Amino acid sequence: MLVCVLGLMLLSGAGVASASVRNYWVAAVPVTWNVVPNGHDAMTGTNYSTTDTVFPTIVYRRYTAHWRRVLPNQPSAGGNQNLIPGPLIQARVGDTILVHFLNRDRLYDRVHSMHFHGVHYAPSSDGAYIPGFSGRGASVKPGQSFTYRLRAGSDSVGVWPYHDHSQSMEDSIAGGMYGMLSILGRHERAPDREFEVVFAPQGQFQTIDDRAFVGNTPVFTAFTGQTVQWDVMAMGSEHHTFHVHGHRWIGADGVPRDTQTVGPAESFAIRWREQDPGTWLYHCHVETHMMAGMIGIYQVKRRRS
Amino acid sequence: MLVCVLGLMLLSGAGVASASVRNYWVAAVPVTWNVVPNGHDAMTGTNYSTTDTVFPTIVYRRYTAHWRRVLPNQPSAGGNQNLIPGPLIQARVGDTILVHFLNRDRLYDRVHSMHFHGVHYAPSSDGAYIPGFSGRGASVKPGQSFTYRLRAGSDSVGVWPYHDHSQSMEDSIAGGMYGMLSILGRHERAPDREFEVVFAPQGQFQTIDDRAFVGNTPVFTAFTGQTVQWDVMAMGSEHHTFHVHGHRWIGADGVPRDTQTVGPAESFAIRWREQDPGTWLYHCHVETHMMAGMIGIYQVKRRRS
Amino acid sequence: MLVCVLGLMLLSGAGVASASVRNYWVAAVPVTWNVVPNGHDAMTGTNYSTTDTVFPTIVYRRYTAHWRRVLPNQPSAGGNQNLIPGPLIQARVGDTILVHFLNRDRLYDRVHSMHFHGVHYAPSSDGAYIPGFSGRGASVKPGQSFTYRLRAGSDSVGVWPYHDHSQSMEDSIAGGMYGMLSILGRHERAPDREFEVVFAPQGQFQTIDDRAFVGNTPVFTAFTGQTVQWDVMAMGSEHHTFHVHGHRWIGADGVPRDTQTVGPAESFAIRWREQDPGTWLYHCHVETHMMAGMIGIYQVKRRRS
């Protein structure tokens, strides 16, 4: 059992260049979620009561082999919360990824699935409900499990969404059933810090990783000299513009950028070598979204010498 | 007369490398359109009555020379319907395209026009109403015709929208008066399959080629080994994200992508060599759009050997 | 004093290759603004009364040194109005830009700031309110001033937004407190014509440079043979698609384009050598935006020989 867990961790570690099969054990589980844990929008001073911010929902959660024990959804470096988004699926080009999914939705007793962007798979691992065509992996019943077999090709490098694509899709995504894959090249160097930013609505709020307002959204941290990577995606029905203060990156047109559109299920990874110490804002620049909570803090400290 | 028709067809064929003038005969004609012909959303099981889905409208329709006989709007390979979108205008760099447009709108008795993106033209062929400046081509009256003279330059390669840009523009586009140009390089190889995907709203529905829900939207088909091209554009007032399951393409930033934003009048062509047999979904990933009908089926079969 | 003004003008001139410090003197001042000065939508014939189109607001305005005398917000070549957008901040890679900002908001008596995209700065010049962290530059009180110290790095080439990012941000941006930076490479040739296009909502209207409808929005002009540059950005909460009739440019993917998405705080510069004489439309291709005023005229004349 100990060996099994260690083996899993080795296979899952993005730094292991020779790994070829990575196993992820994921379950859909009920949780109680608070979109605004501190009950407060620090920018405007508005307070929110828990009747507006707390609700039961279903999330993707990472486990050790055979769903024995919970694991954090994100590696410690990220600074993300550990329930939403779901487990960060990390792999390298050439790897096979086996995602063992167990539906533990005793809350709504709904079918669920996982549909993965960016990787290769046979139709049986598509995880998307198509009347008359899709199979068991598109409609995993409560109490049942399904293993999705994915392959990271050379055209899988980057970051990608995954999400429920069963008949329950609309409710599940609204409830937070989404996460990301992060695929590196075979010999690509991993960043020192990797931050997941998911823009999605949540009731009256606009959230980052399903949390709203400075003080509730993730506080990402780095030291000067570190390579930081931002994994950005959107879920829902709206387009957003990702902006980080005091920083920029090379845009699609080869020219620098500090604001970039991301629509539903679009995703991109941004990297830079950090050299600007300070307390900075990152946010969606759609004004109504920013005002409804889609904003957070990024803290860069000078490297200790 | 027979010679004339044959000549037209030769000149219009995208595979004819030496062609230099291509004639298209198009008319605006009244039709009765059904957005949901089978009355059914197969994903949710919802039924729709014809009172919600059928309406009279004006569409662009392709004809033989001098509007004598109707022709299909799309070459047979596409799998599109043959009324909306309008005729697929195909040409190669260096070609002159003459679009002979006849306004047969006896339904609303409105002026109409054709405004083309991507190609070169003098202001007289712009087809856009500008008070005090525009001429006859911007306001073609019922019963009258106008010939737009277009030139495919080296910067015209790709796919482009065209649409009504007369004073009737708002109603016309809402009714389906739009189509695409597809321009190849002088010696570029044509794809084996070419699919037109137009995202546009239609009343309470979100449509692909003005049809809503799996079973009504186009079913595109290909064999493994074929080169497929997706011509994607949007009309209306909303941004969309085009997604195909189990496939990807090279994005603007040179990295692979499987979801891409397209806003009103934006357009892009995507190509891949097909190697993934199966029944796949293609759809707009904006959730409210997908739920309102913006989703279809793409079927890939193994090449018969 | 005369020497000082001349010195400022020399330093601010984008054509001066050896300049290394550029000073801009800007104040937030109350004005009365009319979104539809001629009271008329020429496309539909609709009339608007001043009760719907005129309102008091705060704008950024350019001054000579020490805010002694007003200067035009845009160089004469542009054709823009001279109140909204704010001063065009022009510089070259390697330059230091000092923006001396004075808050003269006696209308609402609010704090204001300037937050700049694209350039480098220390957190003290970020101009963005962060509770518990930000300093005086994020909340400049009425009657007070602050100097933002910016640096144009090699990754600052292009055009960028600036805007109020104080606690008053929401109201300020809605009122027109935004503008652009235009950064050239160290030895890059400046365009012959530079047009600023800011897409932003204004009450019931959708505006370009805070004006609605043909006849009110800027009329941009050029001669054949000139190099024209369009500086495009958006403010607010909506995505837009920028389109110019009869012209195209090289898009992010290296292929030609004539329509391009721009979301809130996104920006891009487009250049071409003009060779198409005529009266053309430029507009946002989002239909509801175009119909609500986001459309203008671009006039190209043959070069006099």
Side-chain angles (χ1 to χ4, degrees):
Chain A
M1 163 61 185
L2 181 65
V3 172
C4 171
V5 172
L6 283 174
L8 167 74
M9 291 169 72
L10 276 171
L11 287 168
S12 305
V16 182
S18 61
S20 61
V21 177
R22 297 169 189 263
N23 288 271
Y24 277 85
W25 299 82
V26 179
V29 298
V31 298
T32 297
W33 186 255
N34 191 342
V35 184
V36 191
N38 74 7
H40 193 61
D41 173 3
M43 305 294 272
T44 63
T46 310
N47 291 313
Y48 294 93
S49 100
T50 52
T51 57
D52 292 324
T53 66
V54 176
F55 58 94
T57 191
I58 305 296
V59 301
Y60 291 119
R61 191 148 197 194
R62 189 175 179 192
Y63 284 80
T64 60
H66 304 287
W67 309 282
R68 288 207 177 90
R69 202 160 38 78
V70 295
L71 282 173
N73 272 0
Q74 282 79 32
S76 58
N80 282 65
Q81 289 97 2
N82 271 312
L83 290 170
I84 302 175
L88 180 64
I89 309 285
Q90 294 178 297
R92 286 182 178 276
V93 169
D95 289 346
T96 294
I97 310 165
L98 301 179
V99 181
H100 311 281
F101 173 64
L102 173 63
N103 182 354
R104 282 184 169 158
D105 177 2
R106 295 172 304 266
L107 177 64
Y108 300 112
D109 202 42
R110 289 178 181 141
V111 296
H112 293 293
S113 78
M114 297 180 81
H115 166 67
F116 300 88
H117 290 239
V119 285
H120 295 261
Y121 49 80
S124 57
S125 283
D126 184 38
Y129 175 63
I130 311 178
F133 289 97
S134 57
R136 222 167 55 75
S139 309
V140 182
K141 292 176 184 162
Q144 298 194 344
S145 67
F146 186 85
T147 295
Y148 301 94
R149 175 175 287 271
L150 316 170
R151 188 172 54 78
S154 59
D155 58 356
S156 301
V157 171
V159 297
W160 307 91
Y162 66 82
H163 55 85
D164 192 347
H165 210 307
S166 71
Q167 299 98 305
S168 314
M169 176 178 181
E170 196 171 6
D171 292 317
S172 298
I173 292 180
M177 282 188 77
Y178 47 73
M180 297 185 94
L181 302 110
S182 175
I183 313 292
L184 294 173
R186 189 71 241 156
H187 304 290
E188 187 181 358
R189 187 171 169 177
D192 298 313
R193 308 287 286 168
E194 184 168 5
F195 311 135
E196 282 183 271
V197 172
V198 184
F199 290 139
Q202 183 53 264
Q204 67 180 292
F205 304 104
Q206 292 285 345
T207 77
I208 296 168
D209 298 349
D210 227 27
R211 290 270 160 80
F213 305 117
V214 162
N216 300 290
T217 49
V219 176
F220 297 117
T221 62
F223 285 98
T224 54
Q226 288 188 315
T227 302
V228 302
Q229 178 174 312
W230 299 75
D231 302 342
V232 181
M233 75 174 222
M235 278 282 121
S237 299
E238 290 160 290
H239 278 71
H240 308 272
T241 46
F242 176 69
H243 174 50
V244 184
H245 283 228
H247 294 77
R248 66 200 49 87
W249 56 88
I250 300 303
D253 41 11
V255 296
R257 191 163 296 200
D258 73 357
T259 306
Q260 190 168 334
T261 282
V262 59
E266 281 192 311
S267 52
F268 51 81
I270 289 166
R271 279 199 197 183
W272 62 68
R273 189 175 159 83
E274 189 51 73
Q275 50 190 2
D276 289 292
T279 296
W280 305 101
L281 292 171
Y282 69 95
H283 59 91
C284 173
H285 216 295
V286 171
E287 273 177 68
T288 51
H289 295 178
M290 180 180 167
M291 296 300 172
M294 213 167 246
I295 184 167
I297 297 282
Y298 172 45
Q299 282 184 319
V300 181
K301 292 183 179 164
R302 285 188 193 284
R303 181 191 292 281
R304 303 136 302 184
S305 55
Chain B
M1 162 58 188
L2 180 65
V3 172
C4 171
V5 172
L6 282 175
L8 167 74
M9 291 169 74
L10 277 172
L11 288 168
S12 303
V16 182
S18 60
S20 62
V21 176
R22 296 170 189 263
N23 287 271
Y24 277 85
W25 300 83
V26 178
V29 298
V31 298
T32 297
W33 187 254
N34 191 343
V35 183
V36 191
N38 75 6
H40 193 62
D41 173 4
M43 306 294 273
T44 63
T46 310
N47 292 313
Y48 294 91
S49 102
T50 52
T51 56
D52 292 325
T53 67
V54 176
F55 57 94
T57 191
I58 306 296
V59 301
Y60 291 119
R61 193 150 195 191
R62 189 175 178 190
Y63 285 82
T64 60
H66 304 290
W67 309 282
R68 290 208 175 89
R69 203 159 37 78
V70 294
L71 282 174
N73 273 0
Q74 281 80 31
S76 58
N80 281 65
Q81 289 97 3
N82 271 314
L83 289 171
I84 303 174
L88 181 64
I89 309 285
Q90 294 178 296
R92 286 182 179 274
V93 169
D95 290 346
T96 294
I97 310 165
L98 301 180
V99 181
H100 311 280
F101 172 64
L102 173 63
N103 182 353
R104 283 183 171 160
D105 177 3
R106 295 172 304 266
L107 178 63
Y108 300 113
D109 201 41
R110 288 178 181 142
V111 296
H112 293 293
S113 77
M114 298 181 79
H115 166 67
F116 300 89
H117 289 240
V119 285
H120 295 261
Y121 49 80
S124 57
S125 283
D126 184 38
Y129 175 62
I130 311 178
F133 289 96
S134 56
R136 223 168 55 76
S139 309
V140 182
K141 292 177 184 162
Q144 298 195 345
S145 68
F146 185 87
T147 295
Y148 301 93
R149 175 175 286 269
L150 316 170
R151 187 172 53 79
S154 58
D155 57 357
S156 301
V157 171
V159 298
W160 307 91
Y162 66 82
H163 56 85
D164 192 348
H165 210 308
S166 72
Q167 297 98 305
S168 314
M169 173 177 184
E170 197 171 7
D171 292 316
S172 299
I173 292 180
M177 284 189 75
Y178 47 72
M180 297 184 93
L181 302 111
S182 177
I183 313 291
L184 294 173
R186 189 71 242 158
H187 304 290
E188 187 180 359
R189 187 172 169 175
D192 298 312
R193 308 287 284 168
E194 183 167 6
F195 312 135
E196 282 182 272
V197 172
V198 184
F199 290 139
Q202 183 52 266
Q204 68 180 290
F205 304 103
Q206 291 286 344
T207 78
I208 295 168
D209 298 348
D210 227 27
R211 289 271 161 80
F213 305 118
V214 162
N216 301 290
T217 50
V219 176
F220 297 115
T221 62
F223 286 99
T224 54
Q226 288 188 316
T227 301
V228 303
Q229 176 173 314
W230 298 74
D231 302 341
V232 181
M233 75 174 221
M235 277 283 120
S237 300
E238 290 159 290
H239 278 72
H240 308 272
T241 48
F242 176 69
H243 173 50
V244 183
H245 284 228
H247 294 77
R248 67 200 50 86
W249 57 88
I250 301 302
D253 42 10
V255 298
R257 191 163 298 199
D258 73 357
T259 306
Q260 189 166 334
T261 283
V262 58
E266 281 192 311
S267 52
F268 52 81
I270 289 165
R271 279 197 197 186
W272 61 67
R273 189 175 159 81
E274 189 51 72
Q275 51 190 358
D276 288 293
T279 296
W280 306 102
L281 292 171
Y282 70 94
H283 59 90
C284 174
H285 217 295
V286 171
E287 273 178 66
T288 51
H289 296 178
M290 180 180 167
M291 296 301 172
M294 214 167 247
I295 183 167
I297 297 281
Y298 172 46
Q299 281 183 318
V300 181
K301 292 183 179 164
R302 284 187 195 285
R303 181 190 292 280
R304 305 135 300 184
S305 57
Chain C
M1 163 62 187
L2 180 67
V3 172
C4 172
V5 171
L6 282 175
L8 165 76
M9 292 169 72
L10 276 172
L11 287 168
S12 304
V16 182
S18 60
S20 61
V21 177
R22 296 170 190 262
N23 287 271
Y24 277 85
W25 299 82
V26 179
V29 298
V31 298
T32 297
W33 187 254
N34 191 343
V35 183
V36 191
N38 75 6
H40 193 62
D41 173 3
M43 305 294 273
T44 63
T46 310
N47 292 314
Y48 294 92
S49 100
T50 52
T51 55
D52 292 324
T53 67
V54 176
F55 56 94
T57 191
I58 306 295
V59 300
Y60 291 119
R61 191 148 197 194
R62 189 175 177 192
Y63 284 81
T64 59
H66 304 288
W67 308 283
R68 288 206 175 91
R69 202 159 37 78
V70 294
L71 282 173
N73 272 1
Q74 281 81 28
S76 58
N80 282 66
Q81 289 96 3
N82 271 311
L83 289 171
I84 303 175
L88 181 63
I89 309 284
Q90 293 178 297
R92 287 181 178 274
V93 169
D95 289 346
T96 294
I97 310 166
L98 301 180
V99 181
H100 311 281
F101 173 64
L102 172 63
N103 182 353
R104 283 183 170 159
D105 177 2
R106 293 171 305 266
L107 178 63
Y108 300 112
D109 201 41
R110 289 177 181 142
V111 296
H112 292 293
S113 77
M114 298 180 80
H115 166 67
F116 300 89
H117 290 239
V119 284
H120 294 263
Y121 49 80
S124 55
S125 282
D126 185 38
Y129 175 63
I130 311 177
F133 289 95
S134 57
R136 221 167 56 77
S139 310
V140 181
K141 293 177 184 163
Q144 298 194 345
S145 68
F146 185 86
T147 295
Y148 300 93
R149 175 175 286 270
L150 316 170
R151 189 172 53 78
S154 58
D155 58 357
S156 300
V157 171
V159 297
W160 306 91
Y162 65 82
H163 55 85
D164 191 346
H165 211 307
S166 71
Q167 298 99 305
S168 314
M169 175 179 181
E170 199 172 5
D171 292 315
S172 298
I173 292 179
M177 282 188 77
Y178 47 73
M180 296 186 95
L181 302 109
S182 177
I183 314 291
L184 293 173
R186 188 71 241 158
H187 304 291
E188 187 179 357
R189 185 170 171 177
D192 297 313
R193 308 288 284 168
E194 184 167 6
F195 311 135
E196 281 183 272
V197 172
V198 184
F199 289 139
Q202 183 54 264
Q204 68 180 290
F205 304 103
Q206 291 285 346
T207 76
I208 296 168
D209 298 349
D210 226 29
R211 289 271 160 80
F213 305 118
V214 162
N216 300 290
T217 50
V219 176
F220 297 117
T221 62
F223 285 98
T224 55
Q226 289 188 314
T227 301
V228 303
Q229 176 173 313
W230 298 74
D231 303 341
V232 181
M233 75 174 222
M235 277 283 121
S237 299
E238 290 160 290
H239 279 72
H240 308 272
T241 47
F242 176 69
H243 174 49
V244 184
H245 284 230
H247 294 77
R248 65 201 50 85
W249 57 87
I250 301 303
D253 41 11
V255 298
R257 188 163 299 198
D258 73 358
T259 306
Q260 189 167 334
T261 283
V262 59
E266 281 192 312
S267 52
F268 52 81
I270 289 166
R271 278 198 198 184
W272 61 68
R273 188 173 159 84
E274 189 52 71
Q275 50 190 1
D276 289 293
T279 296
W280 306 101
L281 291 171
Y282 69 94
H283 58 90
C284 174
H285 216 296
V286 170
E287 274 178 66
T288 51
H289 295 179
M290 181 180 166
M291 297 301 172
M294 215 168 245
I295 184 167
I297 296 281
Y298 172 46
Q299 281 183 318
V300 180
K301 292 184 180 162
R302 285 188 193 282
R303 179 191 293 279
R304 304 137 298 184
S305 56

